[in-house]
Amino acid sequence: MGSCLSAFSPPPPSASFGRRDGGRSDRSASAALELSPSSAPSSAPSETDAHDLIVIGGGSAGLTAAKFASNFGKSVALVEASRAGGDCTWTGCVPSKTLLAAAKRAWTWRRMTERYGGEGGGGADDASLRRMLEGARKEVDSARERIYEEDDSPRVLQSLGIDFVRGRAKFRDAKAVDVTSDLDGTTVRLSAKYGVVIATGASPRNVASDIAGLDAVPYWTYENVWAEFFNCIENDQQQKVSERRVIVVGGGPIGCELSQAISRLGPSVTLVSGSRRLLPAAEEEASTELRKVLEGEGVSVICDRRVASVAADENDDKKIRVSLEDGAMDPIVGDHILVATGRVPNVGNMGLDSVGIRLDPKTGGIKVDEKLETSVRGIFAAGDCTGDRQFTHYAGYQGAVAARNVLLPLKDPGVLDEVPSATFTDPEVAGFGLAERDARDRYGDDAISTSFRPLSEIDRAVCEGTDSHGFIKIVYKSGNKRILGATIVAPAAGELISELALARDAKLPLDKLATVMHAYPSYSIALQQMAADVYYDKLKKNKGLYNLLKKAGL
């Protein structure tokens, strides 16, 4: 947990950090209950005993905050309007990574069938593609339900001593919220002894005002694509899967991941990005490499073009016609459109203004200081609702820090300068810290060095046939060899990046990794080999001195 692991803050339990049981509270399971606003006897709010902590929002940040409090034997109420688990479990990380895994297996099978022939002597037929899609849908649903039942369900939360309250929260004052049921409108009032953590997450950006006609056609977002994608194909047996065309708007992580997954499952995909390149926050080499991969698999990629309007096609009103801003290209006609242009913080309808909680005008999120405290003493915010970088692992980290800062002495920082991230395309794209250009701009060209190794020079990649695309790039200071940033494009990039992030946080010079033994032939041994190259260069610069010392018998 990095900086929140102070003497007052042992590692918090959390599904986000891989703990299935979430830790065990001193409070017995019988002490916990699922509070229901609908149990209130009248229209007046039904009051409950004060909890030590109230957490609003049951996603990564909220779950981590609640489990942290429970782990210390503190009473905590977790308020969630829907199912606990948040975007990660239901519409983000879990379904997307499950779909990507299913799509990778389907893609491998399709390539092998095309290369070696199947029962019919050719590639995948429509019936086979439909069976693969049916299997993929079952895998997505199964993964979501399993993780929910084992990590996030009210049953699990109650076993940890967490009071799960279903409904929508609205602040009465800095230490009390009213929770209203969506079912019958009844309300229960909760009060907090120490404070409140807001962890309400984010939702898809509404781009209907920016794209003319979007509201007039059915479109997907990351929230509904998991049902709509499969339903559309299942409900239309006439059009072949391979004849369908999906237009994806947005070249960030969500757009890139879903473009590759959908394409590998059979439909053709056109990816349109208003940015100059895919994954604009990554190193430019990573963007270039990923584009080559996607185009090599048949995805049509259009960058530096914004969608101006969307309409039903004049020749076939079942199809969608997408026109680009500059008019230099013919309109794109497809069967479906997926809009993946970002997410905005959920900050409405909670009565934030009534208690004096301010928003950040730049991000639209809840304004917090480095300790995650809002403009109101005792009320903290964590995760996507703050407008900070939107990563599940970062939200979980902040949730733990926020709860720790409410409940324990002193306070730890919860806003980090750099956060490792990964886009789980195939190959994965992972990184942290400064890109090379940013490092040179900050410190000067002479002060910066890079270590670069393509996957074609990594034995494991050669053995597995994954050496056509990808690389490892490390940016470091020329003098003290301190790591400033790294970018990895590789099958295991999301795993490899953590070692370099740890070395950076531990202030370990890059060349010191040469002394850490790595197994061969793993992808990670490339890190040791790259560090060894830096170490050897360091030795060569002192060659004269070493020769003198050797002659002296040392």
Side-chain angles (χ1 to χ4, degrees):
M1 285 294 296
S3 63
C4 74
L5 290 181
S6 68
F8 300 99
S9 175
S14 167
S16 300
F17 300 123
R19 287 285 299 281
R20 278 287 182 198
D21 62 356
R24 294 296 169 192
S25 170
D26 291 336
R27 303 176 68 212
S28 66
S30 62
L33 73 160
E34 179 172 359
L35 301 174
S36 173
S38 60
S39 63
S42 67
S43 58
S46 172
E47 300 231 13
T48 68
D49 292 336
H51 291 79
D52 292 324
L53 176 69
I54 295 172
V55 179
I56 304 174
S60 176
L63 286 166
T64 312
K67 291 176 181 179
F68 183 99
S70 173
N71 193 51
F72 280 90
K74 303 295 185 180
S75 62
V76 53
L78 176 63
V79 182
E80 169 56 49
S82 183
R83 293 173 294 186
D87 276 0
C88 181
T89 298
W90 298 110
T91 60
C93 311
V94 172
S96 64
K97 278 48 182 180
T98 308
L99 186 68
L100 283 163
K104 184 175 182 177
R105 290 191 293 272
W107 176 245
T108 301
W109 179 81
R110 289 175 60 193
R111 285 189 302 168
M112 294 300 100
T113 302
E114 291 167 1
R115 180 177 300 178
Y116 301 113
E119 291 181 4
D125 58 17
D126 192 62
S128 297
L129 291 176
R130 288 181 180 276
R131 285 195 296 271
M132 287 191 297
L133 283 165
E134 182 182 359
R137 181 176 199 163
K138 290 179 179 178
E139 289 177 37
V140 168
D141 291 342
S142 175
R144 290 192 294 192
E145 288 297 333
R146 177 179 174 182
I147 289 174
Y148 172 69
E149 288 297 331
E150 294 183 6
D151 289 342
D152 309 332
S153 67
R155 173 185 57 81
V156 171
L157 298 177
Q158 289 168 20
S159 73
L160 302 177
I162 297 169
D163 293 336
F164 182 74
V165 187
R166 194 181 302 278
R168 300 184 183 276
K170 189 170 185 177
F171 279 94
R172 295 291 300 178
D173 55 48
K175 293 291 181 67
V177 298
D178 285 348
V179 183
T180 303
S181 168
D182 283 341
L183 296 177
D184 56 16
T186 52
T187 300
V188 62
R189 181 165 296 168
L190 304 176
S191 58
K193 181 177 180 181
Y194 295 110
V196 179
V197 173
I198 305 172
T200 47
S203 299
R205 184 183 303 278
N206 184 0
V207 295
S209 59
D210 300 325
I211 302 176
L214 185 62
D215 275 345
V217 302
Y219 67 94
W220 303 339
T221 68
Y222 73 85
E223 287 189 323
N224 66 358
V225 65
W226 313 110
E228 295 300 324
F229 169 56
F230 295 111
N231 288 343
C232 288
I233 293 176
E234 182 180 320
N235 294 337
D236 184 356
Q237 298 291 321
Q238 299 301 314
Q239 186 182 23
K240 291 183 177 180
V241 174
S242 59
E243 293 174 351
R244 290 184 177 272
R245 188 179 193 182
V246 178
I247 303 167
V248 178
V249 182
I254 297 174
C256 290
E257 287 183 358
L258 291 180
S259 290
Q260 186 177 49
I262 292 171
S263 172
R264 287 181 162 189
L265 288 167
S268 63
V269 174
T270 297
L271 172 57
V272 182
S273 174
S275 301
R276 182 176 59 85
R277 55 189 176 88
L278 301 178
L279 302 181
E283 281 268 19
E284 186 142 2
E285 295 102 319
S287 302
T288 301
E289 203 78 348
L290 181 58
R291 178 167 184 167
K292 289 178 182 177
V293 170
L294 294 179
E295 290 181 332
E297 294 184 6
V299 177
S300 176
V301 179
I302 302 170
C303 287
D304 207 16
R305 294 287 187 275
R306 295 187 179 277
V307 173
S309 63
V310 175
D313 185 53
E314 56 191 18
N315 299 317
D316 184 350
D317 60 8
K318 292 184 179 180
K319 294 187 179 293
I320 296 171
R321 188 181 187 88
V322 175
S323 299
L324 304 184
E325 266 187 352
D326 58 6
M329 298 179 61
D330 291 336
I332 307 165
V333 178
D335 299 283
H336 315 284
I337 182 170
L338 166 62
V339 180
T341 53
R343 302 163 71 242
V344 294
N346 293 328
V347 295
N349 303 316
M350 287 187 287
L352 300 183
D353 287 344
S354 67
V355 292
I357 297 174
R358 292 196 292 268
L359 302 182
D360 187 326
K362 292 182 180 179
T363 66
I366 297 172
K367 190 172 184 179
V368 295
D369 60 20
E370 66 169 2
K371 313 293 186 181
L372 299 175
E373 193 165 23
T374 69
S375 51
V376 177
R377 184 177 178 84
I379 300 179
F380 290 69
D384 298 350
C385 69
T386 67
D388 202 346
R389 290 143 294 180
Q390 296 177 353
F391 303 122
T392 293
H393 46 284
Y394 190 33
Y397 176 93
Q398 288 195 329
V401 174
R404 175 255 176 276
N405 288 345
V406 171
L407 298 171
L408 301 181
L410 308 179
K411 290 182 174 63
D412 283 338
V415 178
L416 304 181
D417 293 332
E418 298 167 3
V419 179
S421 65
T423 299
F424 292 91
T425 46
D426 180 21
E428 298 172 2
V429 180
F432 71 85
L434 295 177
E436 179 183 358
R437 184 68 269 158
D438 296 332
R440 293 189 185 280
D441 288 344
R442 180 179 298 187
Y443 296 106
D445 287 340
D446 293 341
I448 297 300
S449 295
T450 62
S451 179
F452 186 93
R453 179 160 297 201
L455 258 62
S456 59
E457 296 178 9
I458 297 176
D459 291 356
R460 178 65 176 273
V462 174
C463 294
E464 295 188 341
T466 58
D467 57 321
S468 298
H469 299 282
F471 62 84
I472 300 175
K473 181 177 182 179
I474 305 171
V475 181
Y476 61 97
K477 283 190 173 183
S478 302
N480 59 16
K481 315 303 180 192
R482 286 274 297 278
I483 298 171
L484 298 175
T487 299
I488 304 176
V489 181
E495 315 301 328
L496 294 172
I497 201 66
S498 297
E499 179 176 344
L500 294 174
L502 175 61
R504 185 275 314 271
D505 286 354
K507 297 179 172 54
L508 192 68
L510 176 57
D511 57 294
K512 289 296 183 182
L513 288 182
T515 66
V516 179
M517 190 59 61
H518 293 64
Y520 178 89
S522 62
Y523 283 102
S524 65
I525 199 170
L527 302 178
Q528 184 181 8
Q529 293 166 340
M530 295 167 74
D533 289 341
V534 175
Y535 176 67
Y536 297 152
D537 287 341
K538 188 176 178 180
L539 291 181
K540 290 174 186 177
K541 291 179 180 178
N542 295 298
K543 184 177 179 180
L545 175 60
Y546 291 144
N547 287 339
L548 288 175
L549 293 175
K550 188 65 175 177
K551 288 179 180 179
L554 298 177

